[in-house]
Amino acid sequence: MSPKYLDGDTIIVKVQHTCDSGQDCVVQVNGFDATLKKVVIKDGYFELVPINEAYETMCFKNVDILGVVVELRRKI
């Protein structure tokens, strides 16, 4: 999740089942494990953009939005 989120960070997630394009969200695909991704909505598809640019964007027709990141807490 780096460079935006670092090891030891705490994220606060608002539980909701919709999001705006471009928001960082906790999502679930096909009922399996949840993941944190930037969600971009295009042409009826959900692009799940990894925060870490070393990974590839994935596209899905259906995903479950579990919540939206609303706050990041980092200790200095």
Side-chain angles (χ1 to χ4, degrees), residues 1-6 51-53:
M1 293 189 301
S2 87
K4 188 172 187 178
Y5 303 109
L6 304 176
I51 311 294
N52 185 334
E53 295 176 359

Side-chain angles (χ1 to χ4, degrees), residues 15-73:
V15 176
Q16 62 185 57
H17 300 291
T18 61
C19 70
D20 293 327
S21 187
Q23 289 185 299
D24 291 349
C25 300
V26 177
V27 298
Q28 189 175 41
V29 180
N30 297 325
F32 292 103
D33 296 332
T35 186
L36 179 64
K37 299 285 188 228
K38 177 179 173 183
V39 176
V40 177
I41 304 168
K42 284 186 183 176
D43 301 323
Y45 285 87
F46 295 90
E47 289 185 1
L48 302 183
V49 181
I51 311 294
N52 185 334
E53 295 176 359
Y55 295 93
E56 294 184 23
T57 297
M58 300 175 288
C59 292
F60 296 94
K61 183 70 175 168
N62 295 308
V63 299
D64 293 319
I65 307 294
L66 302 178
V68 176
V69 175
V70 294
E71 187 175 333
L72 167 65
R73 295 183 184 176

